[in-house]
C-alpha cells in the first residue's frame, strides 16, 4: 500500500513524484511513455514576459522563484544537469512594439527583466528587426534529461512500472487498486490523454499540437536564446532547436510537412541563411479553455486526483502547481480557485 499512485510520468507526473517524496509520501508511478510525446518534444523554455501583450506571464512573481529552487534542488538530488539559465534576445517586430519596449524600459514594472546593455556582437549577422531587447530570467529545462533522471531514481527505488493504465480504479477498504497496486489516492497526470479518461473527460481541455525542429550549423555562432515569432535555442555542439508551431485541436504526435515548412520559413527569415533540418518532433500541449491548470480531487470519487492543464508553460508552472496539490492532498489546504477543477463543477453535473 502506498500513499499515492501516480499515472503518467511527463513533466506533471515527474514533478509531482519529486514533490510528494520530499513531503514524506510513499508513491508508485505507472507510465506508458509511448502514449504522448509532449514533455519530450517541449523545448523546455521559460520566460517571464508575454511578448504579444508585453506583460508579465500569469503569476510570474510567485511561480518563478518556486521553479528555480525546485529544479536546482532536483539537479543536486538526481545528480544530473538539466536546468540552463540563458538570457533571451527579442527581435522587435514593429514600430509599435519598439515604442512599447522603450516605455517598458523606462518604467519600474519590467525593470528586473529587461536589460539595456549594448546588443551582443553575435547578432550583427542576423535579422535585427526594429531593434533588440535583452530579457533576463529566461532559459530552458532539458526535459529529456530531467525525465530520464526521474525515471532512473524511481527505478532505483523499485516504484516504477511501464504499462498503459486502462483499468478504472477499483475501490478497496483503504483506498484504490489499479493493476494490483494498492494506494490511498490515485493521481492522474496523463497530459492531453486525460481527454480519453472517463473520470476526467468532462474538463474543458483545449489540445494544441506543436512541432519543433533540430538543426545543425557550425557557422551559426549564437550564445543567446532568440525570440522572433519563433525561438532559436542554442544547445551547444553546433545544434539549435527551433519552434514551435501552434495547431489547435490537432491531436496526434506525428511531425508534418506543414509544421516543417512553417518553421523553416520563420527560421530562414531570422537567421538569413538556408536551414538544414536534422530532426523534427511533434506533441500535443494539454491546454485548457481558460489557460489555467487543472488540479484537484474528483468531485464524485474521494481519493482520485488530477494534475493537468499545463498548456505551453509546463516547465515553470509545474513546481508551484505540484506544491499546491501536495499540500491539499496531505493537509487539506485549499487549492487556489483559478487552478482548482471545482471551477468546472457545472460541467461535471451535466454529464
Ligand atoms: C511543440 C511543443 C513545444 C513546447 N515547448 C514548451 C516550452 O518551451 N516550455 C514549456 O514550459 N512548455 C512547453 N511545451 C508544453 C509542455 O510540453 C507541457 O506543458 C508539458 O509537457 C505537459 O506535461 P504533462 O505531464 O501534463 O503531459 P505529457 O508530457 O503528455 O505526459 C503524460 C504522460 O503520461 C503518459 N500516459 C498518459 N495516459 C496514460 C495511461 N493511461 N497509462 C500510462 N501512461 C499514460 C504519457 O505517455 C506521458 O508519458 C511544449 C509543448 C509542445 C507540444
Amino acid at each position: 500500500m502506498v500513499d499515492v499512485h501516480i499515472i503518467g510520468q511527463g513533466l506533471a507526473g515527474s514533478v509531482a513524484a519529486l514533490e510528494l517524496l520530499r513531503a514524506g509520501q510513499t508513491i508508485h508511478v505507472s507510465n506508458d511513455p509511448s502514449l504522448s510525446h509532449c514533455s519530450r518534444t517541449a523545448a523546455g523554455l521559460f520566460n517571464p514576459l508575454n511578448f504579444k501583450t508585453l506583460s508579465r506571464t500569469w503569476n510570474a512573481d510567485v511561480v518563478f522563484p518556486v521553479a528555480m529552487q525546485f529544479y536546482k534542488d532536483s539537479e543536486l538530488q538526481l545528480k544530473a544537469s538539466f536546468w540552463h539559465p540563458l538570457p533571451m534576445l527579442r527581435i522587435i517586430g514593429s514600430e509599435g512594439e519598439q515604442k512599447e519596449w522603450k516605455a517598458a524600459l523606462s518604467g519600474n514594472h519590467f525593470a528586473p527583466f529587461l536589460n539595456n546593455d549594448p546588443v551582443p556582437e553575435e547578432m550583427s549577422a542576423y535579422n535585427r528587426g526594429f531593434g533588440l531587447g535583452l530579457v533576463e530570467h529566461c532559459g530552458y529545462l532539458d526535459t529529456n534529461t530531467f525525465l530520464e533522471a526521474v525515471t532512473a531514481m524511481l527505478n532505483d527505488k523499485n516504484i516504477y512500472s511501464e504499462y498503459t493504465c486502462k483499468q478504472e480504479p477499483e475501490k478497496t477498504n483503504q483506498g484504490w487498486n489499479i493493476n494490483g497496486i494498492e494506494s490511498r489516492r490515485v493521481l492522474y497526470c496523463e497530459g492531453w490523454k486525460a481527454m480519453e479518461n472517463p473520470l476526467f473527460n468532462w474538463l474543458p481541455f483545449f489540445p494544441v499540437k506543436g512541432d519543433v525542429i533540430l538543426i545543425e550549423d557550425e557557422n551559426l555562432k549564437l550564445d543567446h536564446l532568440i525570440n522572433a515569432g519563433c525561438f532559436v535555442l542554442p544547445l551547444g555542439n553546433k545544434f539549435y532547436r527551433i519552434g514551435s508551431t501552434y495547431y489547435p485541436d490537432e491531436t496526434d504526435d506525428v511531425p508534418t510537412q506543414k509544421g516543417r515548412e512553417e518553421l523553416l520559413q520563420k527560421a530562414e527569415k531570422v537567421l538569413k541563411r538556408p536551414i538544414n533540418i536534422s530532426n523534427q518532433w511533434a506533441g500535443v500541449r494539454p491546454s485548457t479553455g481558460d489557460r489555467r491548470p487543472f488540479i484537484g480531487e474528483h468531485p464524485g470519487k474521494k481519493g482520485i486526483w488530477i494534475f493537468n492543464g499545463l498548456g505551453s508553460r509546463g516547465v515553470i508552472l509545474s513546481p508551484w502547481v505540484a506544491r499546491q496539490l501536495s499540500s491539499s492532498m496531505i493537509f487539506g489546504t485549499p487549492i487556489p480557485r483559478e487552478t482548482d477543477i471545482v471551477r468546472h463543477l457545472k460541467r461535471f453535473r451535466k454529464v
Side-chain angles (χ1 to χ4, degrees):
M1 165 74 77
V2 292
D3 291 320
V4 189
H5 183 183
I6 300 175
I7 312 292
Q9 194 231 319
L11 271 176
S14 300
V15 171
L18 289 171
E19 185 67 28
L20 288 166
L21 285 171
R22 282 174 203 169
Q25 298 284 289
T26 53
I27 63 166
H28 189 93
V29 177
S30 297
N31 180 49
D32 177 355
S34 69
L35 288 179
S36 168
H37 300 172
C38 185
S39 296
R40 291 180 178 273
T41 305
L45 306 185
F46 54 91
N47 157 32
L49 296 184
N50 177 339
F51 292 118
K52 275 195 190 127
T53 51
L54 210 58
S55 57
R56 290 194 198 192
T57 52
W58 176 68
N59 238 355
D61 294 344
V62 179
V63 300
F64 266 70
V66 174
M68 292 197 184
Q69 194 60 50
F70 177 88
Y71 291 115
K72 281 185 200 156
D73 290 348
S74 303
E75 284 193 321
L76 289 175
Q77 180 190 347
L78 302 171
K79 298 186 179 53
S81 165
F82 37 73
W83 180 248
H84 303 290
L86 198 62
M88 178 187 276
L89 279 172
R90 165 73 175 173
I91 300 182
I92 297 171
S94 66
E95 274 179 32
E97 194 185 338
Q98 193 184 44
K99 278 189 198 144
E100 285 165 17
W101 272 81
K102 279 191 183 145
L105 271 168
S106 58
N108 287 333
H109 193 54
F110 291 102
F113 301 122
L114 302 184
N115 193 319
N116 226 347
D117 286 352
V119 166
E121 192 51 38
E122 71 190 51
M123 285 306 289
S124 55
Y126 312 116
N127 189 342
R128 300 166 65 106
F130 286 77
L132 298 162
L134 193 53
V135 188
E136 305 282 5
H137 304 289
C138 301
Y140 71 102
L141 174 78
D142 176 344
T143 54
N144 282 296
T145 304
F146 173 63
L147 296 183
E148 276 157 26
V150 174
T151 312
M153 178 273 291
L154 297 170
N155 265 324
D156 275 356
K157 293 183 186 289
N158 215 3
I159 52 173
Y160 179 78
S161 315
E162 216 157 82
Y163 68 95
T164 309
C165 176
K166 288 188 179 148
Q167 191 194 328
E168 275 229 14
E170 187 190 309
K171 191 85 191 88
T172 64
N173 286 342
Q174 287 181 288
W176 300 94
N177 176 349
I178 300 180
N179 235 32
I181 298 159
E182 301 235 355
S183 61
R184 289 184 183 81
R185 300 182 197 89
V186 178
L187 174 61
Y188 283 97
C189 302
E190 297 171 292
W192 72 276
K193 283 281 172 188
M195 293 170 69
E196 296 165 10
N197 182 338
L199 290 166
F200 289 107
N201 59 4
W202 49 275
L203 285 167
F205 282 96
F206 179 73
V208 182
K209 181 174 173 176
D211 302 73
V212 294
I213 54 176
L214 181 75
I215 67 166
E216 184 181 0
D217 187 335
E218 60 186 26
N219 298 316
L220 199 54
K221 307 274 184 230
L222 283 176
D223 294 325
H224 286 75
L225 177 55
I226 309 287
N227 177 300
C230 66
F231 65 77
V232 181
L233 170 63
L235 296 170
N237 290 334
K238 305 172 266 179
F239 285 102
Y240 297 82
R241 229 173 218 231
I242 296 177
S244 306
T245 58
Y246 195 86
Y247 302 132
D249 283 329
E250 290 187 24
T251 48
D252 65 72
D253 291 329
V254 184
T256 57
Q257 190 63 23
K258 174 175 77 168
R260 193 181 177 93
E261 277 167 17
E262 182 184 325
L263 291 175
L264 262 183
Q265 229 176 36
K266 287 185 174 166
E268 284 177 354
K269 195 169 157 202
V270 180
L271 301 173
K272 299 206 287 190
R273 63 180 61 222
I275 305 281
N276 290 319
I277 299 181
S278 310
N279 213 335
Q280 180 182 359
W281 302 270
V284 180
R285 301 168 180 91
S287 300
T288 65
D290 58 8
R291 293 170 183 249
R292 298 289 175 263
F294 289 152
I295 52 172
E297 191 169 27
H298 189 279
K301 288 186 191 278
K302 212 167 160 37
I304 304 287
W305 291 68
I306 187 167
F307 176 6
N308 211 309
L310 292 172
S312 302
R313 300 183 58 224
V315 168
I316 210 71
L317 287 180
S318 51
W320 178 78
V321 175
R323 191 164 291 178
Q324 310 304 314
L325 177 91
S326 146
S327 331
S328 179
M329 269 185 176
I330 303 168
F331 305 112
T333 315
I335 295 170
R337 170 96 191 163
E338 54 188 334
T339 54
D340 195 330
I341 54 170
V342 294
R343 70 192 189 276
H344 297 299
L345 213 51
K346 276 189 192 152
R347 293 174 67 100
F348 175 68
R349 291 201 177 116
K350 274 190 198 155
V351 182

